[in-house]
């Protein structure tokens, strides 16, 4: 993904979490559509794990690439060894 690419919560799969392979991603978490928390995640970091583990029906964050980045989507079932 290129710098400034945005991943909106409605476009991301809620049964996946995302590993930042390269780059840096800014995560905006929401509560009732108000920004609750801002976190920068860099190489090796994980985005969306709590939501995937809780089997949420929709995600509560948006993610913006702060620089060119590579993210890998990992299905929740991979944690159970069911891939």
């Amino acid at each position: 993904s290129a710098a400034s690419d945005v991943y909106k919560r409605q476009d991301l799969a809620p049964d996946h979490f995302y590993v930042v392979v390269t780059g840096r991603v800014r995560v905006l978490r929401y509560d009732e559509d108000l920004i609750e928390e801002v976190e920068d995640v860099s190489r090796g970091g994980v985005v969306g794990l709590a939501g995937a583990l809780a089997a949420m029906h929709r995600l509560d964050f948006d993610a913006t690439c702060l620089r060119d980045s590579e993210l890998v989507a990992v299905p929740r079932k991979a944690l159970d060894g069911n891939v």
Side-chain angles (χ1 to χ4, degrees):
S1 299
S4 74
D5 279 358
V6 176
Y7 295 90
K8 295 297 222 173
R9 53 195 150 149
Q10 62 267 23
D11 298 332
L12 297 171
D15 60 343
H16 285 66
F17 60 95
Y18 302 84
V19 177
V20 180
V21 178
T22 61
R24 180 175 292 264
V25 177
R26 174 155 295 152
V27 178
L28 302 177
R29 285 183 180 36
Y30 294 87
D31 182 16
E32 304 279 331
D33 291 329
L34 298 173
I35 294 175
E36 180 179 86
E37 181 183 346
V38 176
E39 175 186 10
D40 289 351
V41 181
S42 56
R43 184 177 56 148
V46 177
V47 175
L49 182 58
L53 290 175
M56 295 174 67
H57 296 288
R58 75 179 195 118
L59 297 173
D60 63 349
F61 68 87
D62 293 336
T64 302
C65 295
L66 298 177
R67 61 179 93 149
D68 291 352
S69 303
E70 180 180 355
L71 281 74
V72 173
V74 180
R76 179 184 61 224
K77 63 185 177 180
L79 297 173
D80 299 329
N82 297 325
V83 211

